[in-house]
Amino acid sequence: MTTTMTRRGIALSATALLAARPAAAQAFPDRPVRLIVPFAPGGPADVQARLLAAGMSERLRQSVVVENRSGAGGIVGTDAVAKAPPDGHTLVFSSTGAVAITIHMVANPPYDPARAFAPVSMITRVPILLMTNPRLPVRTLQELVAVSKTRPLNFGSSGPGSSVHLAGELLRMRTGMQFTHVPYRGAAPATMAVVQGEVDFALLDPTALIEQVRSGAVRPIAVTSAGRSPAMPEVPTFAEAGVPGIELENWYPVLAPAGTPPDRLQALFGAIRGTLEQPALRDQITNSGAAVVASTPEETAAYIQAEIPKWAELVRSSGARMD
């Protein structure tokens, strides 16, 4: 009798202790994580996010579900995460444009990127590629500049307020080129516009179109990085092509809502870092023209804080606007 009561008492005590555990001690994540991509499917952010989500799912032992929510140059999807509960279960795979550019091109931006987010990690940084339709009779940047001064050209981008849009405006400022900006809803349709001759040239993130470059469907002219891209070593930099002062990178961070607990940020960062350390995945990303970063939350926050004023000044000096 005593033994039975003692066992029952131990069981009740254990149950009470489990019930009394604080919420912070519960497993994280305790349900699927949403990774919002604020751009259309098939573009650079979407391709990278889906690669990342698969690896994170394995390490977190919860599904990481990619959700495309495009609109307003990335503002719509990024704003949805800014306003989400800060519990680590809703993240955004954002970009330079949505974090550092479009907010300077609209009258009343819905979020302040310096305050609305808790950075988790910078995933990649990517140079911007200038490419032309192969039927356009130019093979160098100087030839493209010369043609633009005899007749206006059409310049395609993945959307207004994107880093590639601003790269085009900087090119106009540095060379005096004449062209009309034709924004598309993502990199995939902008690439097809170059292939089909709807536009004469485009500035785009190469990660989602590297096969078109390698197949000859488009003609690469120059990249905006300081040095040549390992994925396209035959393509000169803008400085090598005779137009210095165009050194830009598109970057892709994963962000959580401000106020997300630090231990959850670290758990998410650990899953990201573990995923990006896989040699096969790193090679796949590098071969597409991107550089893997995997920076800590603190390093990512410092990088973004330094980038925001640089892009704000480019918006101001170029007079670029949301078309």
Side-chain angles (χ1 to χ4, degrees):
M1 178 89 173
T2 303
T3 302
T4 302
M5 292 181 66
T6 301
R7 288 175 179 170
R8 185 179 299 168
I10 292 171
L12 289 171
S13 298
T15 302
L17 284 170
L18 287 170
R21 282 185 179 179
Q26 293 177 358
F28 169 80
D30 59 10
R31 59 185 183 276
V33 174
R34 288 194 306 155
L35 181 59
I36 292 178
V37 176
F39 306 102
D46 183 64
V47 170
Q48 294 182 60
R50 292 180 188 279
L51 291 173
L52 183 68
M56 289 182 68
S57 296
E58 293 179 10
R59 286 159 181 79
L60 293 173
R61 298 185 179 181
Q62 280 283 357
S63 296
V64 177
V65 181
V66 175
E67 177 183 328
N68 295 91
R69 193 178 296 188
S70 61
I75 287 179
V76 172
T78 303
D79 184 46
V81 175
K83 294 176 170 57
D87 57 15
H89 289 90
T90 305
L91 310 172
V92 62
F93 194 105
S94 200
S95 74
T96 316
V99 176
I101 299 175
T102 51
I103 56 165
H104 303 296
M105 300 174 71
V106 296
N108 297 297
Y111 53 83
D112 177 352
R115 299 172 182 244
F117 302 103
V120 180
S121 182
M122 188 68 69
I123 307 305
T124 59
R125 294 203 297 266
V126 192
I128 297 167
L129 172 68
L130 189 157
M131 60 186 188
T132 66
N133 181 292
R135 293 186 293 277
L136 189 69
V138 302
R139 292 187 174 275
T140 68
L141 181 57
Q142 294 299 334
E143 290 174 352
L144 182 65
V145 172
V147 169
S148 80
K149 294 180 178 179
T150 62
R151 65 176 180 88
L153 301 177
N154 289 325
F155 149 58
S157 81
S158 55
S162 60
S163 59
V164 296
H165 173 198
L166 267 291
E169 297 302 332
L170 183 58
L171 178 64
R172 191 198 306 268
M173 293 165 61
R174 292 283 186 268
T175 63
M177 288 179 67
Q178 301 177 48
F179 53 74
T180 299
H181 178 217
V182 183
Y184 289 83
R185 293 182 63 85
T191 302
M192 289 309 301
V194 179
V195 172
Q196 295 170 359
E198 293 178 11
V199 295
D200 300 295
F201 74 99
L203 282 150
L204 293 170
D205 181 320
T207 53
L209 54 94
I210 195 71
E211 292 308 317
Q212 286 90 336
V213 173
R214 290 172 178 158
S215 70
V218 296
R219 177 176 292 149
I221 299 295
V223 291
T224 62
S225 47
R228 295 197 179 197
S229 168
M232 301 173 287
E234 74 285 358
V235 182
T237 67
F238 272 82
E240 291 174 331
V243 183
I246 301 182
E247 291 184 11
L248 302 171
E249 286 184 311
N250 202 9
W251 37 266
Y252 294 97
V254 168
L255 310 173
T260 300
D263 60 327
R264 297 192 172 193
L265 295 177
Q266 287 299 324
L268 293 164
F269 169 63
I272 289 172
R273 180 176 57 187
T275 298
L276 295 177
E277 285 176 347
Q278 297 304 301
L281 181 61
R282 291 183 72 92
D283 288 348
Q284 186 174 355
I285 292 174
T286 301
N287 288 338
S288 73
V292 175
V293 181
S295 56
T296 66
E298 296 77 15
E299 292 167 341
T300 304
Y303 183 86
I304 291 174
Q305 291 284 1
E307 285 282 291
I308 289 173
K310 180 181 80 174
W311 288 96
E313 173 57 25
L314 181 52
V315 171
R316 187 202 62 77
S317 60
S318 69
R321 57 186 179 83
M322 298 284 282
D323 296 85

